[in-house]
């Protein structure tokens, strides 16, 4: 199996190992410090755990409410049952020969969106710096929040220069400056911007995103067309619930306080002339939300259902003794680590996840790390049991 060869190569790569160990220790310490100094965030995580449990229990009803709320704010909702449908919906909205900018979205990676749009003849750029480096390297995100966690400064500069960014000097600051100039040139000319979402509120249709780079703001507001990809498990009842999800995600990712929390409810508009509402002011003229099922509804009834509470903070990855040596080389084609194994089983292929599950040590550190109380080690044991029972 190719996945095992990739894991072996990662274990022998000294640069990869050193970058991961630094990032894991640094993030673990940061998260612990944030939680020690702000115990109210632990209480908020408890609250989010209940919000997610209740939301997944009434997902069908919330999804319908979310679609109606989106229509009420002049956004257009779509529901994609599969990854293929999601790609096709977005492909039709964008068409061919366009300049498209993306903000980091595991949902976009899950459905294979960037290569699909490129194959249609579009020029597509990731605008999150880590994700841009992944695009330039031609590999997969190595962590949910920090996709280029495995990469050295030398490699980052090399990739940016190859893409045409003008990096002056070898400092990290000059690499970030060069990426900013390079990406600005793309974002201001883009005809479509695609983002993910941390949560979507059923009561208002508001999309909530949390970020530090400000690229999500630009991608969702400068191009005339904004498309948001929203896995159905991200729908929560209210806008306040959605903001709480974003706060907890950023705290448990070690990025607290978040630099930006964005709330987007429909395309831009103005009613400044004769109180007549016109859509398309300074921001997008058109907004579409593509809800992605891709195995999630089916998973609600199965042994892996609790994974649907996941808020993608990535803490279980940094705490996992196996992930610290493999990053997302272990876990499946898109997701990785403890949460990744289960997401791979839900959204891609249970057989592949089951084979890879035997690398899990069953230590349970991921269970303790998870803000929403997902019993990851038990879910991974389910995958092992499935492998023993059903795999030939
Ligand atoms: S499983 Fe828990 S710790 Fe891991 S990414 Fe999801 S919410 Fe975070």
């Amino acid at each position: 199996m190719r996945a095992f060869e990739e894991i072996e190569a990662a274990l022998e790569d000294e640069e990869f190992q050193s970058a991961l160990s630094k990032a894991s220790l640094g993030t673990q310490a940061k998260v612990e410090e944030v939680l020690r100094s702000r115990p109210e965030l632990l209480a908020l995580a408890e609250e989010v755990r209940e919000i997610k449990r209740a939301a997944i229990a009434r997902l069908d009803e919330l999804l319908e409410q979310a679609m109606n709320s989106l229509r009420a704010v002049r956004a257009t909702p779509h529901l994609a049952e599969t990854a293929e449908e999601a790609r096709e919906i977005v492909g039709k909205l964008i068409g061919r020969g366009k300049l498209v900018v993306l903000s980091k979205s595991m949902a976009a990676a899950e459905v294979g969106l960037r290569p699909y749009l490129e194959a249609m003849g579009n020029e597509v750029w990731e605008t999150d710096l880590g994700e841009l480096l992944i695009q330039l390297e031609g590999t997969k995100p190595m962590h949910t929040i920090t996709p280029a966690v495995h990469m050295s400064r030398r490699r980052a500069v090399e990739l940016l220069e190859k893409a045409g960014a003008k990096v002056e000097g070898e400092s990290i600051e000059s690499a970030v400056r060069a990426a900013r100039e390079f990406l600005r040139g793309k974002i201001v000319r883009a005809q479509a911007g695609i983002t993910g979402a941390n949560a979507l509120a059923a009561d208002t249709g508001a999309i909530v995103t949390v970020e530090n780079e400000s690229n999500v703001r630009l991608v969702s507001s400068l191009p005339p067309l904004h498309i948001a990809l929203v896995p159905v498990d991200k729908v929560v009842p209210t806008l306040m619930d959605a903001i709480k999800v974003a706060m907890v995600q950023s705290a448990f990712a070690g990025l607290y306080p978040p630099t930006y929390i964005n709330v987007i409810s429909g395309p831009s508009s103005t009613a400044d002339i004769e109180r007549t509402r016109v859509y398309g002011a300074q921001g997008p003229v058109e907004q579409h939300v593509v809800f992605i099922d891709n195995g999630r509804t089916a998973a609600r009834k199965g042994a892996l259902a609790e994974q649907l509470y996941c808020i993608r903070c990535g803490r279980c990855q940094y705490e996992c003794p196996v992930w610290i040596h493999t990053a997302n080389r272990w876990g499946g084609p898109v997701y990785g680590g403890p949460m990744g194994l289960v997401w791979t089983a839900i959204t891609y292929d249970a057989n592949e996840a089951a084979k890879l599950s035997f690398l899990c040590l069953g230590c349970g550190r991921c269970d303790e790390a998870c803000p929403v109380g997902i019993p990851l080690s038990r879910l991974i044991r389910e995958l092992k049991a499935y492998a023993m029972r059903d795999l030939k």
Side-chain angles (χ1 to χ4, degrees):
M1 194 178 174
R2 193 168 152 68
F4 287 110
E5 286 164 22
E6 285 185 11
I7 291 168
E8 268 179 34
L11 293 175
E12 282 161 19
D13 183 337
E14 279 177 28
E15 205 168 280
F16 190 91
Q17 293 300 320
S18 140
L20 279 183
S21 129
K22 255 194 248 160
S24 299
L25 293 175
T27 309
Q28 283 173 8
K30 251 191 251 160
V31 178
E32 276 162 26
E33 173 51 28
V34 165
L35 298 180
R36 204 174 20 248
S37 60
R38 296 179 187 274
E40 68 273 18
L41 289 168
L42 286 170
L44 195 62
E46 287 277 333
E47 219 185 304
V48 166
R49 185 181 305 190
E50 288 316 310
I51 290 168
K52 293 290 294 184
R53 271 174 219 276
I56 296 297
R58 46 192 281 255
L59 181 57
D60 300 337
E61 177 202 330
L62 288 180
L63 195 54
E64 200 184 323
Q65 188 191 0
M67 293 217 181
N68 289 333
S69 298
L70 283 164
R71 289 185 196 104
V73 293
R74 293 287 186 113
T76 309
H78 307 259
L79 176 60
E81 298 290 346
T82 62
E84 190 184 6
E85 271 181 41
R87 289 194 296 268
E88 282 172 8
I89 291 168
V90 178
K92 275 191 195 131
L93 290 170
I94 287 180
R96 295 172 187 278
K98 304 279 171 44
L99 175 56
V100 182
V101 284
L102 265 166
S103 70
K104 180 168 49 113
S105 158
M106 290 305 288
E110 177 187 314
V111 303
L113 188 62
R114 179 161 39 80
Y116 179 82
L117 293 177
E118 284 168 345
M120 285 178 67
N122 296 295
E123 180 185 343
V124 188
W125 289 99
E126 299 282 355
T127 59
D128 171 88
L129 178 52
E131 200 66 42
L132 172 68
L133 293 170
I134 293 297
Q135 174 179 10
L136 297 173
E137 193 177 50
T139 175
K140 65 178 272 198
M142 287 296 149
H143 181 264
T144 310
I145 305 283
T146 43
V149 62
H150 61 297
M151 214 178 273
S152 66
R153 158 199 333 206
R154 181 193 54 76
R155 179 78 177 131
V157 168
E158 189 182 293
L159 289 167
L160 287 169
E161 281 180 334
K162 217 164 120 194
K166 293 188 178 53
V167 189
E168 285 163 16
E170 295 197 342
S171 68
I172 295 175
E173 286 76 7
S174 53
V176 174
R177 247 191 331 269
R180 173 190 166 103
E181 293 309 314
F182 178 78
L183 288 172
R184 282 286 165 111
K186 306 292 178 193
I187 296 170
V188 294
R189 290 188 295 111
Q191 286 120 332
I194 302 175
T195 68
N198 287 85
L200 185 140
D203 64 343
T204 48
I207 298 160
V208 173
T209 58
V210 55
E211 58 159 338
N212 292 324
E213 291 188 19
S214 190
N215 64 310
V216 181
R217 299 198 142 193
L218 296 177
V219 165
S220 60
S221 61
L222 284 182
L225 169 64
H226 172 216
I227 302 170
L229 301 179
V230 185
V232 291
D233 58 285
K234 295 204 174 183
V235 179
V236 291
T238 68
L239 176 52
M240 283 309 292
D241 293 337
I243 290 173
K244 286 173 185 171
V245 169
M247 298 269 286
V248 171
Q249 198 246 27
S250 89
F252 280 75
L255 301 167
Y256 194 86
T259 314
Y260 306 101
I261 288 185
N262 308 309
V263 177
I264 308 170
S265 314
S268 67
S269 69
T270 177
D272 279 356
I273 303 177
E274 294 185 1
R275 298 187 61 78
T276 303
R277 172 92 28 209
V278 174
Y279 286 84
Q282 297 298 329
V285 184
E286 222 181 298
Q287 190 199 46
H288 294 257
V289 172
V290 183
F291 291 106
I292 301 171
D293 188 318
N294 202 25
R296 289 168 171 86
T297 301
R300 276 172 73 199
K301 298 171 194 101
L304 306 179
E306 283 152 298
Q307 189 61 41
L308 300 172
Y309 309 150
C310 177
I311 56 169
R312 325 298 201 268
C313 66
R315 191 180 183 208
C316 56
Q317 296 171 316
Y318 280 127
E319 292 287 338
C320 171
V322 179
W323 185 91
I324 289 171
H325 292 285
T326 62
N328 282 6
R329 294 255 181 256
W330 170 52
V334 174
Y335 296 101
M339 58 82 95
L341 279 176
V342 191
W343 278 121
T344 297
I346 292 173
T347 62
Y348 178 65
D349 181 359
N351 292 349
E352 175 145 349
K355 284 178 201 154
L356 292 167
S357 68
F358 287 96
L359 290 187
C360 168
L361 303 175
C363 67
R365 282 185 67 136
C366 48
D367 303 341
E368 284 169 30
C370 179
V372 288
I374 299 173
L376 284 152
S377 58
R378 177 163 63 69
L379 302 189
I380 295 170
R381 272 203 308 280
E382 291 286 349
L383 291 173
K384 291 179 181 174
Y386 166 77
M388 299 302 286
R389 201 176 51 233
D390 298 321
L391 283 188
K392 301 283 176 295

